[in-house]
Amino acid sequence: RQCHSMRVCMQADTCVVSRLLLWLRLQEIMKQKSACARIIASKDSLIKEFQAELKAKDEECVGACEC
């Protein structure tokens, strides 16, 4: 009978450890997701900046070509 209760306790411990490991993995994934979101936002900002510069250069060239 004691052996059975030990086995149940070991299974419960295994479940707790498994849940903890899953929680830790989830936390790491959430950190990575947040970091990726910041990188994407930074890239989007750079793209908008380059597009604005390109538009300004295009307008400058069109203005210089109209004589």
Side-chain angles (χ1 to χ4, degrees), residues 1-7:
R1 194 165 183 129
Q2 186 179 13
C3 179
H4 174 61
S5 65
M6 288 283 287
R7 198 169 39 224

Side-chain angles (χ1 to χ4, degrees), residues 3-26:
C3 179
H4 174 61
S5 65
M6 288 283 287
R7 198 169 39 224
V8 170
C9 287
M10 288 174 60
Q11 288 174 345
D13 288 346
T14 300
C15 287
V16 169
V17 170
S18 293
R19 289 177 60 123
L20 178 60
L21 290 174
L22 286 172
W23 184 81
L24 290 171
R25 283 188 206 147
L26 176 62

Side-chain angles (χ1 to χ4, degrees), residues 20-67:
L20 178 60
L21 290 174
L22 286 172
W23 184 81
L24 290 171
R25 283 188 206 147
L26 176 62
Q27 295 304 308
E28 189 60 34
I29 289 169
M30 296 304 287
K31 286 179 191 176
Q32 290 176 3
K33 183 178 177 182
S34 178
C36 288
R38 287 192 303 273
I39 290 168
I40 290 169
S42 175
K43 285 181 144 189
D44 287 345
S45 177
L46 284 173
I47 289 169
K48 287 179 185 177
E49 185 180 326
F50 289 143
Q51 286 173 333
E53 288 180 29
L54 182 59
K55 183 178 178 182
K57 294 285 183 186
D58 283 347
E59 290 172 358
E60 184 181 313
C61 288
V62 168
C65 291
E66 292 177 356
C67 299

